[in-house]
Amino acid sequence: AQTVTQSQPEMSVQEAETVTLSCTYDTSENNYYLFWYKQPPSRQMILVIRQEAYKQQNATENRFSVNFQKAAKSFSLKISDSQLGDTAMYFCAFSPNYGGSQGNLIFGKGTKLSVKP
Amino acid sequence: DTAVSQTPKYLVTQMGNDKSIKCEQNLGHDTMYWYKQDSKKFLKIMFSYNNKELIINETVPNRFSPKSPDKAHLNLHINSLELGDSAVYFCASSQHAPGQATNEKLFFGSGTQLSVL
């Protein structure tokens, strides 16, 4: 069975600092997609970044980047220059490569990130 | 305009009641989903419909019945509500079904918080 594990239930970081959220997953698939979603207090689920497993290059989106280690089945999220608006729950998610659709997402239990002024 | 909208945002009801949550997307997408987020923030897929046809049906009690009158709507009806049904229910949509396309994005609604007393 495919599983996603986020070992840090809560983290905090000072504004403007850098923070890394951990995620590991377990799968026997060779092709798949990995995602980080942000859920602010408004509850809206927002896609932050995605990574295709067949791509060796780590994905980046502005201040957000990932460290994808396929052999180790690790997919961490780095947030640089943290801002107060980054305060949210962050979910790591896995999708089998059924053509790349995110429909059948498997989520981790989330990491609550607090950015302190 | 909200892309994926679900109503109501909050629903408080007694055990044993029957309730419905409505979801509509104005993105012209073919596929819609229901996810359940429990009290521990764990998000899990429940159902998926593509062009009004059920394509994903995870292990969910028969008391939960999705209904898709057209591809822009996917409602969730719950019979005989139980305490354990208390959760946040998210509707989502994507252009294609799992397996049909790559580079898909999933759009989430803002959730319905269901409290069963």
Side-chain angles (χ1 to χ4, degrees), chain A residues 4 33 35 37 39 42-47 50 52 89 91 97-110, chain B residues 9-10 33 35 37 40-43 45 88 90 96-106 108-113:
Chain A
V4 177
Y33 287 71
F35 310 88
Y37 276 87
Q39 186 180 36
S42 65
R43 282 204 319 248
Q44 183 74 38
M45 292 289 285
I46 302 164
L47 178 64
R50 58 177 272 161
E52 293 93 334
M89 284 287 290
F91 293 93
N97 187 25
Y98 300 144
S101 174
Q102 299 177 47
N104 196 7
L105 282 169
I106 300 163
F107 285 87
K109 293 191 175 183
Chain B
K9 289 192 183 306
Y10 299 94
Y33 311 83
Y35 283 85
Q37 186 177 38
K40 297 180 180 177
K41 301 294 185 182
F42 192 47
L43 201 68
I45 192 168
V88 181
F90 284 94
H96 300 100
Q100 288 187 341
T102 58
N103 205 30
E104 276 283 82
K105 274 189 77 172
L106 198 66
F108 281 89
S110 57
T112 295
Q113 185 168 333

Side-chain angles (χ1 to χ4, degrees), chain B residues 36-114:
Chain B
K36 178 182 179 181
Q37 186 177 38
D38 62 23
S39 58
K40 297 180 180 177
K41 301 294 185 182
F42 192 47
L43 201 68
K44 192 170 182 183
I45 192 168
M46 299 173 69
F47 301 102
S48 176
Y49 271 71
N50 177 254
N51 281 320
K52 302 192 297 175
E53 287 191 24
L54 182 67
I55 55 171
I56 294 175
N57 185 358
E58 294 297 311
T59 306
V60 177
N62 291 338
R63 299 181 295 104
F64 290 77
S65 53
K67 287 184 172 53
S68 183
D70 55 62
K71 73 175 191 178
H73 295 83
L74 180 62
N75 303 323
L76 183 64
H77 189 75
I78 314 170
N79 289 328
S80 304
L81 278 156
E82 300 178 357
L83 295 177
D85 298 332
S86 295
V88 181
Y89 292 84
F90 284 94
C91 179
S93 74
S94 64
Q95 181 63 64
H96 300 100
Q100 288 187 341
T102 58
N103 205 30
E104 276 283 82
K105 274 189 77 172
L106 198 66
F107 293 80
F108 281 89
S110 57
T112 295
Q113 185 168 333
L114 172 64

Side-chain angles (χ1 to χ4, degrees), chain A residues 22-33:
Chain A
S22 301
C23 173
T24 58
Y25 58 93
D26 189 23
T27 182
S28 57
E29 304 270 342
N30 190 44
N31 293 320
Y32 47 86
Y33 287 71

Side-chain angles (χ1 to χ4, degrees), chain A residues 1 7 10 14 32 34 36 53 61 67 70-71 75 82 84 96 99 108:
Chain A
S7 57
E10 290 192 48
Q14 289 296 130
Y32 47 86
L34 295 161
W36 278 98
E61 286 285 345
N67 183 4
K70 191 173 184 180
F75 182 62
S82 296
L84 296 179

Side-chain angles (χ1 to χ4, degrees), chain A residues 12-102:
Chain A
S12 64
V13 63
Q14 289 296 130
E15 199 175 4
E17 299 280 302
T18 295
V19 64
T20 299
L21 309 183
S22 301
C23 173
T24 58
Y25 58 93
D26 189 23
T27 182
S28 57
E29 304 270 342
N30 190 44
N31 293 320
Y32 47 86
Y33 287 71
L34 295 161
F35 310 88
W36 278 98
Y37 276 87
K38 170 184 176 181
Q39 186 180 36
S42 65
R43 282 204 319 248
Q44 183 74 38
M45 292 289 285
I46 302 164
L47 178 64
V48 174
I49 199 166
R50 58 177 272 161
Q51 173 84 40
E52 293 93 334
Y54 62 85
K55 287 188 177 179
Q56 293 185 341
Q57 187 173 5
N58 289 326
T60 61
E61 286 285 345
N62 301 316
R63 297 183 295 108
F64 299 87
S65 62
V66 298
N67 183 4
F68 173 49
Q69 302 288 329
K70 191 173 184 180
K73 296 181 181 172
S74 169
F75 182 62
S76 60
L77 174 70
K78 185 171 86 170
I79 307 173
S80 304
D81 186 25
S82 296
Q83 299 175 0
L84 296 179
D86 295 334
T87 293
M89 284 287 290
Y90 286 82
F91 293 93
C92 179
F94 167 97
S95 174
N97 187 25
Y98 300 144
S101 174
Q102 299 177 47

